[in-house]
Every structure is written in C-alpha cells, then in structure tokens.
Amino acid sequence: MRAIVIYATCEGQTERIAKRIAKVMTDQGVPTDTFDVTRRHVHELAVDSYDAVVLGSSLHYAEHDPRIAWCIRENRRLLRELPTAFFSVSLGIISEHYKDRVEAEWLAESFLRDEDFVPSRHACFAGALRYSKYGWLKKHLMQWIAEKAGNKTNTDCDYEFTDWNAVEAFAEEFANFVHRCRKETRPGLKPIEVRKPYRECVVRSTECSATSPGCTCDPESPTGESEECSGDSATCDGKCCQTLASE
Ligand SMILES: Cc1cc2nc3c(=O)[nH]c(=O)nc-3n(C[C@H](O)[C@H](O)[C@H](O)COP(=O)(O)O)c2cc1C
C-alpha cells in the first residue's frame, strides 16, 4: 500500500506543503511518495501503482496548474476508485477582504467541477509571498496585489502564511480515511508494513522483461514492481522497477 502526492509549484510553497503532507501520511502508516509535475512529465508516473492520490496546485492569475488538470483527466477512471484529496494554495484565502477569500475557495471548487473530479477530501491553504524569487515585474505586481489584499509589501523580505497545523491535520485525517477505506474494502488484511518510506515516486517502465537471472520483478505489474525489488538492484538490469532516489 502506497500513496502519492502529485503537485505543481512555481516558487516552491506547494512543494513544501506536498512534502509535509507526504511525511505526515508516512508517519501515520501510509507510505507516501511525491511527484512534481513541473519537473517531470506526468506520463512518466505510474499512478496506477498507488492506492491513494493527493493532488495539489498553487493559484496563479486565478488559475490552477493545467498539468494537474491534465493529470486528473488522464487518470479520471482510476481516481474515481481511489481515496483522493486535493489542495489549493493561494494568497486570496488569507486576504483581509471577504470577497477575495470567497473567490479563492470558489476557484478551487470550480476547478474541481470543470475537471469533473470529486476528491474524497479537499482544502485551501495559504501560500507564501517570496519576493526574493520574483523578477522585477512580478515583484511589483505582487506588491500591488498584496497591498490591495492588506498583505505584506516590503519586497526585501519573504513571507510565509501557511498554517502548518492545518496542513498536518488535513494529512492526518486523510491518512486515517485511507486506512478506513482499506479496512472496508479488504477485510482481514495485516497492518500495513511501512517499507521504503522515503522515495520520490514510482516511474512507469516499459522495459521490464523480468527474464534476467534472479530478477524478482513481477511481469504482471505495470511497473514491474515486486515486494523484494529495490529498483536499483543488479538483478533488475537497472531497467525495471525504477524508483527515484530518496531525498
Ligand atoms: C504571478 C503570481 C500570480 C498569482 N496569482 C494569484 C491569484 O490569482 N490568486 C491568489 O489567491 N494567489 C495568487 N498568487 C499567490 C500564490 O498562489 C502564492 O504565492 C503561492 O504560495 C504560490 O505557490 P507556489 O510557490 O507553490 O507556486 C500569485 C502569485 C504569483 C507570483
């Protein structure tokens, strides 16, 4: 049993949130990997080798990342059968103006509606203002937006608004939900064995032939993954069961 957090980030705040969610879920007995769609193509990811999926995206110019939308579309049938969660990261959600807060929530809900995706859980988290990472134009645009929203405008500093307690509570509750789903669908299973808890993701491989002597890969599995296979073992020819190195 494994879960994955698939996320899109621009300045890194969604990544920090995704990694915190993965850590908390892993600590709760649901080993969880992470996958950044802004660095790798989602096609490489073997989504079907996971038992629960969390998707997350930050909001930029009132849009969630189209690569997350694409990932939802590509895996729609699978996502309907699994425990799923979605989180949106924005600054509107902590604006001093009620209208902005409502809009941030509405944008998350309409994104899910447009993608015809009903996650088991969803949340909106506050992100960060990282002036140090913005170019000149973006810095001044963000300063102007921040001022309108009653937010921090000193461009010499970065500001983080994420409520980490809320992020951890979300991850903990979702991990408990995943446990409950597993119990309901497959009664009598042993408690989950936490193995290889810190790896980045399982990538799709079409090269696994499972014919080399001593190869422990399961040719039936889409990723060639087997219980014993480490992915970097010589018995796998280094071709199949690929997992990304631990952080
Ligand atoms: C160019 C730009 C546009 C943004 N547009 C919005 C927006 O339309 N609504 C909003 O609530 N937040 C907006 N934000 C705030 C981001 O959602 C916030 O900074 C978030 O932490 C970014 O997460 P990331 O670093 O994972 O991309 C914007 C930020 C930038 C830099």
Side-chain angles (χ1 to χ4, degrees), residues 29-236:
V30 182
T32 303
D33 304 336
T34 54
F35 187 90
D36 178 359
V37 298
T38 60
R39 288 204 196 120
R40 298 174 66 103
H41 198 288
V42 81
H43 241 150
E44 293 174 49
L45 178 67
V47 183
D48 52 1
S49 65
Y50 291 95
D51 307 288
V53 179
V54 180
L55 292 138
S57 168
S58 52
L59 206 51
H60 282 86
Y61 305 112
E63 301 268 357
H64 291 89
D65 195 293
R67 287 162 287 199
I68 290 294
W70 191 84
C71 180
I72 293 170
R73 260 172 261 148
E74 282 295 294
N75 296 286
R76 186 168 281 137
R77 273 180 68 186
L78 180 69
L79 293 175
R80 282 195 181 130
E81 287 163 16
L82 295 177
T84 51
F86 173 78
F87 65 94
S88 166
V89 179
S90 68
L91 287 178
I93 202 74
I94 39 123
S95 167
E96 67 177 21
H97 305 299
Y98 175 72
K99 175 186 145 297
D100 296 341
R101 298 196 299 273
V102 169
E103 184 182 69
E105 277 182 12
W106 180 84
L107 286 169
E109 276 158 26
S110 65
F111 172 77
L112 296 174
R113 209 172 25 251
D114 290 350
E115 298 312 323
D116 193 16
F117 176 44
V118 185
S120 323
R121 300 289 185 272
H122 81 267
C124 293
F125 299 124
L129 264 174
R130 300 218 180 273
Y131 288 116
S132 64
K133 295 207 171 181
Y134 307 148
W136 185 88
L137 189 64
K138 216 187 239 188
K139 192 182 270 186
H140 288 90
L141 174 71
M142 290 312 290
Q143 188 187 35
W144 178 70
I145 292 174
E147 192 168 9
K148 277 207 316 174
N151 222 319
K152 313 282 185 193
T153 53
N154 179 359
T155 56
D156 294 332
C157 305
D158 288 346
Y159 302 93
E160 186 183 79
F161 305 100
T162 308
D163 177 349
W164 292 107
N165 289 333
V167 171
E168 290 184 359
F170 174 77
E172 219 173 291
E173 202 281 322
F174 184 61
N176 289 336
F177 176 68
V178 174
H179 280 300
R180 285 202 303 279
C181 290
R182 189 165 161 86
K183 263 195 211 135
E184 279 161 25
T185 51
R186 299 164 79 175
L189 277 177
K190 287 186 217 146
I192 299 160
E193 181 201 346
V194 181
R195 84 191 148 87
K196 293 189 275 179
Y198 299 112
R199 70 185 189 194
E200 210 175 299
C201 62
V202 176
V203 297
R204 189 171 294 287
S205 169
T206 49
E207 291 181 272
C208 181
S209 63
T211 52
S212 59
C215 182
T216 54
C217 298
D218 176 3
E220 298 292 311
S221 146
T223 55
E225 192 180 27
S226 77
E227 286 298 305
E228 299 83 18
C229 184
S230 67
D232 49 12
S233 96
T235 57
C236 293

